[in-house]
């Protein structure tokens, strides 16, 4: 039995604190939350579409923010899942996805309804803590914008740090759009003049031939993917305008299949 002197106790406590801080900042939320995802749904986790095999499936859980009507939350999430499975290539992999809901309307996700002037961003750590009763790879918060949109313009949805915050009043395909940000690291295919600060699979800097997209026989080469220094593989797809298009495009679909 090891007998530590009392003088060592503060040093040991300090080491534990330092290791904890290191784990949070360098390993991220995944260090703390991934191991807490249950092997099966627990009390409070409502099954929407459950194929089981959680370790080898993609598990998605919806949560509610600013809702007063639970039935409204249920209807919107059902519509989003239906539109998701009507989209290529997810319709080819229905047995690989599990969907759940947490039907509590009083959680606090520390949502900013005016992030950057027009976007909804909820705190990822709060979202992940609230989702722990369900198997989850991607927790998704739906925000009922009733009352909020009277203060601001149309609120954009967002995807950040493994979670998404969605405007529940948007087209159901907003979920399919934001999911591709999380799942495939896709960038937006409209031009807002920002930087492509990562190797986004759906943007090509070769503006002449878009050789990156040649893994499929048919694709477009259209200038504009985040900015005008990159091109996209389809003139109008889900990553550009899901109000006008219900497809990702041949190249993007192939990338999603590979993942």
């Amino acid at each position: 039995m090891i007998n530590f002197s009392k003088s060592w106790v503060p040093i040991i406590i300090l080491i534990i604190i330092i290791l904890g801080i290191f784990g949070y900042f360098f390993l991220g939320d995944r260090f703390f939350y991934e191991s807490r995802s249950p092997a099966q749904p627990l009390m409070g986790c409502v099954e929407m579409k459950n194929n089981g095999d959680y370790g080898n499936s993609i598990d998605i859980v919806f949560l509610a923010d600013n809702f007063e009507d639970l039935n409204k939350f249920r209807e919107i999430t059902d519509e989003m899942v239906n539109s998701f499975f009507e989209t290529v290539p997810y319709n080819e992999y229905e047995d690989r996805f599990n969907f759940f809901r947490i039907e509590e309307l009083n959680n606090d996700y520390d949502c900013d309804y005016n992030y950057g002037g027009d976007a909804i961003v909820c705190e990822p750590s709060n979202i992940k803590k609230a989702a722990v009763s369900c198997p989850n790879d991607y927790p998704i918060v739906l925000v009922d914008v009733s009352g909020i949109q009277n203060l601001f313009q149309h609120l954009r949805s967002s995807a950040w740090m493994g979670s998404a915050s969605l405007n529940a009043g948007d087209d159901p395909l907003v979920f399919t759009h934001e999911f591709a940000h999380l799942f495939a690291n896709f960038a937006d295919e409209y031009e807002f003049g920002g930087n492509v600060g990562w190797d986004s699979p759906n943007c090509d800097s070769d503006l002449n031939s878009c050789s990156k997209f040649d893994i499929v026989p048919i694709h477009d080469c259209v200038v504009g993917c985040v900015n005008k220094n990159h091109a996209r593989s389809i003139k109008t797809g889900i990553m550009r305008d899901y109000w006008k298009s219900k497809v990702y495009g041949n190249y993007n679909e192939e990338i999603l299949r590979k993942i």
Side-chain angles (χ1 to χ4, degrees), residues 206-239:
D206 176 5
L207 302 181
N208 295 318
S209 64
C210 292
S211 55
K212 184 177 182 178
F213 305 148
D214 287 343
I215 63 171
V216 295
I218 300 175
H219 63 78
D220 294 325
C221 184
V222 184
V223 173
C225 191
V226 178
N227 54 44
K228 294 186 180 299
N229 296 323
H230 294 82
R232 59 187 185 274
S233 64
I234 181 174
K235 183 176 180 180
T236 305
I238 288 172
M239 297 311 296

Side-chain angles (χ1 to χ4, degrees), residues 13-250:
I13 293 174
L14 179 62
I15 291 172
I16 292 172
I17 292 172
I18 291 172
L19 289 174
I21 294 172
F22 176 86
Y24 182 81
F25 285 103
F26 291 92
L27 300 181
D29 285 350
R30 189 185 185 105
F31 177 83
F32 290 96
Y33 297 115
E34 184 171 298
S35 61
R36 298 183 186 178
S37 184
Q40 60 184 5
L42 303 178
M43 184 177 296
C45 181
V46 178
E47 300 174 7
M48 298 176 64
K49 181 179 178 59
N50 188 1
N51 296 304
D53 193 18
Y54 309 117
N56 295 311
S57 299
I58 299 163
D59 305 317
I60 299 168
V61 55
F62 289 111
L63 306 99
D65 179 77
N66 202 47
F67 278 83
E68 295 182 357
D69 185 346
L70 181 56
N71 285 329
K72 181 178 181 181
F73 174 61
R74 290 169 175 161
E75 290 171 2
I76 294 174
T77 52
D78 285 342
E79 290 174 357
M80 287 184 172
V81 172
N82 289 338
S83 69
F84 180 82
F85 283 123
E86 290 172 355
T87 304
V88 179
Y90 307 129
N91 61 341
E92 304 165 14
Y93 299 93
E94 285 199 43
D95 62 333
R96 299 297 303 280
F97 288 89
N98 298 316
F99 281 90
F100 306 95
R101 269 193 301 253
I102 293 180
E103 297 184 344
E104 297 179 9
L105 303 183
N106 57 353
N107 281 315
D108 181 10
Y109 304 114
D110 192 20
C111 298
D112 183 346
Y113 303 131
N114 195 29
Y115 185 86
D118 64 348
I120 303 169
V121 176
C122 300
E123 174 55 47
S125 61
N126 290 18
I127 299 171
K128 293 172 185 178
K129 288 176 185 176
V132 294
S133 62
C134 294
N136 69 86
D137 296 301
Y138 302 104
I140 312 294
V141 173
L142 267 66
V143 179
D144 186 351
V145 298
S146 301
I148 299 172
Q149 62 184 359
N150 293 329
L151 300 177
F152 309 112
Q153 298 176 348
H154 175 78
L155 297 177
R156 294 186 298 110
S157 299
S158 66
W160 183 45
M161 293 183 66
S163 64
S165 308
L166 307 183
N167 180 342
D170 209 335
D171 188 282
L173 278 171
V174 67
F175 164 63
T176 304
H177 172 98
E178 297 297 339
F179 178 75
H181 286 312
L182 299 173
F183 183 64
N185 217 16
F186 280 179
D188 289 313
E189 293 182 353
Y190 44 80
E191 313 91 57
F192 52 77
N195 296 318
V196 183
W198 69 100
D199 184 19
S200 179
N202 60 324
C203 295
D204 192 355
S205 58
D206 176 5
L207 302 181
N208 295 318
S209 64
C210 292
S211 55
K212 184 177 182 178
F213 305 148
D214 287 343
I215 63 171
V216 295
I218 300 175
H219 63 78
D220 294 325
C221 184
V222 184
V223 173
C225 191
V226 178
N227 54 44
K228 294 186 180 299
N229 296 323
H230 294 82
R232 59 187 185 274
S233 64
I234 181 174
K235 183 176 180 180
T236 305
I238 288 172
M239 297 311 296
R240 181 174 178 83
D241 190 342
Y242 47 79
W243 288 94
K244 296 180 179 179
S245 176
K246 298 183 182 298
V247 299
Y248 284 111
N250 292 334

